Each structure stands twice: as structure tokens, then as C-alpha cells.
Amino acid sequence: MDKNIYFASDFHLGSPDFAASREREDRIVRWLDEITPSCSELFLMGDVFDFWFEYRKVVPKGFIRLQGKLAFMADAGIRIYFFKGNHDMWVRDYFTREMGVEIVSDELVIERGGKRLFLHHGDGLGPGDGKYKFLRKIFRNPLCQWLFGLLPPRIGIGIATAWANHSRAASRAEEVFQGVDNEWLAVYAKERLTDSHYDYFIFGHRHLPLDIDLGNGSRYINTGEWLKSYSYAVFDGKEVRLRYFNG
């Protein structure tokens, strides 16, 4: 590896309002400008948007600066992966057709630099949260998505945006470290290690930058969020490290 691999998640563009999202989008683009020369692959680990639903010929308006930057990076040969999060699980083929971005619906296992990485947004994993796991099955059901798509965009997007406004990102709830034994994504990672070895588990969703030693040469990295911490992870071919963007 002669270049780095970058991971970021939970931009939540659209929350809590246009002005705040526009300022955040500008910061994200500045970060992408900074990493582009050293980037071979970019993994957007979910919840890039606070809401996204693709109709057949309509997509939510806004955030064109980010989309333009991603198109520029893709045209320059950088491979970009977009993970479906719990807020933008309705991404379909728009980003693939327009920018060549690869859409990832669930987990993705990759090997880079002799390391094995397990990647996932993080929603629906680990113990607890049965209500969301049930809703996730409904929201991801193709029939339910088709029925929702029958709504006129003005109505459908309005309903979904109202739902998103009740999210953790909209409320700006403060996340607190629960301890290794109670961090559900760390618990999930340890369970996966009983079947197969992974050098790194990289998740988003938690809204808390974390780097936890799971033992036996495995680590759990959470990329955090861009509402407050502006955190991301970078793999230089030897190890994954958390970083913070202050630009």
C-alpha cells in the first residue's frame, strides 16, 4: 500500500437544519480536499445523510458540493464505498450510476496490507434494541419500499424527514462510553471472533469515537460522528488509527 484508506460516518447532513448542515458539508469537503492526494479508498460508513430516499426519477435535493467532490475523487481513481445506515438505508443506484460509488447494504469483509477488516455501519448488531431491529426489517423490505415510493415525493420526503428529526442526531443526545462489557458493538465483535479472526472491526452508528482492544490482536474502531467530534479512521497499511479534523 502506497496510499491510505479512510473511513468516516454519521455526517447526518440535513440535521438539524439547512444552515448547520451547509456548514458541516463545507467542513467535510475541506477534509476530503485534504485527504485526496493520499487516499486510495474511501469508506463512508453510513448515515451520510439524515434522510435519503430515491424515487425512480427523484432524489432529495441539496448537498451538491459533497456529491461533486465524491464525483471528482471517483474520477481520479479513488474507490468509494457507501454503506447504508439506519438513516440512509434507502440509497439505491443513484450514486453508483452518477459517480461509480459502490453501495454496501450490510457488512463487508476486506483484506488490505495483510490485515482482515470487518466493516458495517453498526445498526442492528449486538444485543438489545429489539424495537429497531424489527423496524429495520420493515424499512428494508422491498415491498414496503415500493409502497412508500408510491407516495408523491413531497409527501414521502416530508414524512421521512419528520421521522428523522426524532433521531439521536437531531436531539444532540450526549453519548457516554458504557464500558467494554456493555458496548454492544464490542460485544458483537467478540462474538464474531469466536468464528473467525479479524484484525479490525470498523463501525459507525455509535456517535462516539472508540478504539478498543479486543485481545488476540483484534481491535474495535468506531469512527464517531461529524456533529461534534469530526472524527475518522485511517489505515496506512500497518494499523488503523482514529484522527480528528480541525480544518
Side-chain angles (χ1 to χ4, degrees):
M1 289 178 55
D2 58 353
K3 289 190 175 184
N4 298 331
I5 300 174
Y6 292 88
F7 308 84
S9 70
D10 295 272
F11 298 158
H12 283 282
L13 291 172
S15 174
D17 53 43
F18 175 81
S21 293
R22 174 62 186 278
E23 181 180 352
R24 193 179 319 128
E25 181 186 23
D26 288 343
R27 184 188 290 263
I28 294 165
V29 171
R30 290 196 300 272
W31 171 65
L32 293 174
D33 284 337
E34 181 177 288
I35 70 170
T36 293
S38 63
C39 180
S40 62
E41 295 179 280
L42 172 65
F43 291 82
L44 301 175
M45 303 294 298
D47 285 0
V48 171
F49 305 102
D50 204 52
F51 162 72
W52 186 275
F53 185 89
E54 289 180 25
Y55 288 84
R56 184 177 179 183
K57 295 186 178 181
V58 176
V59 297
K61 68 178 182 181
F63 317 119
I64 194 65
R65 290 162 183 79
L66 173 62
Q67 295 179 48
K69 182 59 184 178
L70 294 177
F72 173 85
M73 294 175 72
D75 289 345
I78 296 172
R79 296 188 66 180
I80 303 174
Y81 303 80
F82 189 117
F83 284 70
K84 294 182 180 180
N86 50 302
H87 281 257
D88 45 21
M89 65 177 70
W90 303 282
V91 169
R92 294 179 180 174
D93 64 350
Y94 172 73
F95 290 99
T96 301
R97 288 188 292 105
E98 293 294 326
M99 309 165 208
V101 172
E102 181 174 336
I103 305 300
V104 183
S105 294
D106 292 292
E107 73 269 10
L108 179 66
V109 177
I110 64 172
E111 292 190 13
R112 302 288 189 273
K115 304 293 185 181
R116 195 162 185 242
L117 292 78
F118 182 98
L119 312 177
H120 194 288
H121 175 60
D123 63 314
L125 302 182
D129 206 5
K131 179 180 178 181
Y132 169 70
K133 290 176 181 177
F134 174 74
L135 290 174
R136 186 178 189 269
K137 292 180 180 180
I138 295 175
F139 291 155
R140 288 207 171 199
N141 183 280
L143 176 59
C144 293
Q145 292 183 24
W146 179 80
L147 290 172
F148 187 87
L150 295 179
L151 294 173
R154 181 177 179 180
I155 297 175
I157 291 176
I159 293 173
T161 300
W163 177 279
N165 286 338
H166 289 87
S167 71
R168 175 182 53 195
S171 64
R172 301 297 184 95
E174 189 70 29
E175 296 294 343
V176 179
F177 179 56
Q178 303 293 322
V180 176
D181 293 334
N182 295 316
E183 284 289 337
W184 57 92
L185 289 176
V187 172
Y188 173 82
K190 288 181 178 180
E191 291 175 351
R192 291 300 299 250
L193 286 172
T194 62
D195 297 324
S196 184
H197 177 76
Y198 301 92
D199 296 283
Y200 292 99
F201 292 85
I202 302 180
F203 299 117
H205 187 57
R206 182 67 178 88
H207 283 215
L208 191 67
L210 293 171
D211 183 349
I212 297 176
D213 187 351
L214 300 173
N216 297 317
S218 182
R219 303 190 73 84
Y220 156 43
I221 306 290
N222 197 288
T223 56
E225 44 73 35
W226 282 66
L227 294 161
K228 295 180 180 178
S229 65
Y230 314 112
S231 53
Y232 63 97
V234 56
F235 180 48
D236 62 3
K238 296 181 180 179
E239 65 176 313
V240 179
R241 297 180 180 178
L242 280 173
R243 291 287 185 266
Y244 299 84
F245 182 66
N246 298 314

